[in-house]
């Protein structure tokens, strides 16, 4: 498995952030910002970053603190995107992916920044981030939303409303619901595999 590394990144203007990243062994296809769950940089996040690198993406997760607000997410993402550009990734080959809390954060980014592609796996309303329907209607990047409906995930009607809001934005979007799955997809291995393949296919299609 590809190794992950953590470094302190600081810009000339004094902005700084901790980053955990993994590099592909061969050609870099593009760069992905990975927005993590509420628990922070866990072993699962490191595995995800490493797995994306195995697929050819320079993957990097900014260390978000606590329950971040919209401005915190955007500031952290901007710094991480700058790091990717400094590492040779072209602007049209940049994307963002998030899981759970990070899924909501990825939708925030997709509605406030023009990137090549964005993917949200899970995510719900609450905390310091805006409501999902509010931000989905303002998409500025191609966005894929993948949701279950178990636990605190969105119900079928909420997912449908989210799909309609995203479509109304005018940006390319797709929203997929897996009945009975939670945001971790740990109770449905088949859905987990399919969600992973959908994620990779979305980046394959839009970051090229």
């Amino acid at each position: 498995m590809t190794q992950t590394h953590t470094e302190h990144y600081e810009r000339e203007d004094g902005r700084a952030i901790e980053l955990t990243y993994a590099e592909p062994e061969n050609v870099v296809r593009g760069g992905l910002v990975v927005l993590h769950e509420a628990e922070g940089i866990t072993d699962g996040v490191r595995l995800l970053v490493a797995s994306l690198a195995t697929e050819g993406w320079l993957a990097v997760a900014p260390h978000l603190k606590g329950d971040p607000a919209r401005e915190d997410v955007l500031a952290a993402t901007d710094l991480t995107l700058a790091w990717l550009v400094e590492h040779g990734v072209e602007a049209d080959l940049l994307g963002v992916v998030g899981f759970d809390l990070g899924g909501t954060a990825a939708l925030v980014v997709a509605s406030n920044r023009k990137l090549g592609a964005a993917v949200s796996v899970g995510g719900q309303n609450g905390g310091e981030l805006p409501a999902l329907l509010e931000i989905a209607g303002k998409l500025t990047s191609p966005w894929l939303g993948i949701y279950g409906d178990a636990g605190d995930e969105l119900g079928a009607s909420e997912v449908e409303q989210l799909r309609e809001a995203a479509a109304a934005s005018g940006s390319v979007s797709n929203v997929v619901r897996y009945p009975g799955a939670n945001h971790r997809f740990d109770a449905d291995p088949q859905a987990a595999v399919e969600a992973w393949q959908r994620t990779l296919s979305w980046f394959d299609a839009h970051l090229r």
Side-chain angles (χ1 to χ4, degrees), residues 7-180:
E7 73 170 51
H8 178 79
Y9 173 62
E10 186 169 352
R11 301 280 289 173
E12 290 183 357
D13 58 11
R15 291 180 299 158
I17 196 168
E18 298 295 316
L19 301 172
T20 292
Y21 68 94
E23 299 176 284
E25 294 183 359
N26 299 308
V27 177
V28 175
R29 303 174 58 193
L32 298 179
V33 177
V34 180
L35 299 173
H36 59 69
E37 301 173 313
E39 292 82 1
I41 302 293
T42 62
D43 288 344
V45 173
R46 292 186 183 90
L47 176 60
L48 172 63
V49 168
S51 297
L52 289 168
T54 300
E55 297 292 334
W57 305 103
L58 176 55
V60 53
H63 293 214
L64 301 174
K65 297 179 180 179
D67 187 6
R70 171 185 173 276
E71 292 74 17
D72 300 323
V73 168
L74 293 176
T77 300
D78 287 345
L79 276 173
T80 310
L81 290 170
W83 183 90
L84 285 166
V85 171
E86 285 187 8
H87 284 72
V89 180
E90 297 181 10
D92 59 348
L93 297 178
L94 294 169
V96 61
V97 57
F99 292 76
D100 190 21
L101 171 67
T104 304
L107 181 53
V108 168
V109 174
S111 300
N112 287 275
R113 298 291 185 266
K114 290 186 178 181
L115 299 177
V119 177
S120 296
V121 181
Q124 57 276 331
N125 296 308
E128 296 296 321
L129 295 177
L132 295 176
L133 287 178
E134 175 188 337
I135 46 182
K138 302 175 182 177
L139 283 173
T140 53
S141 301
W143 175 70
L144 168 65
I146 301 175
Y147 297 92
D149 58 8
D152 56 2
E153 287 293 275
L154 304 181
S157 62
E158 292 176 295
V159 172
E160 187 58 35
Q161 290 173 354
L162 191 60
R163 180 182 291 112
E164 293 174 359
S169 72
S171 292
V172 176
S173 63
N174 188 24
V175 178
V176 181
R177 181 176 70 93
Y178 289 93

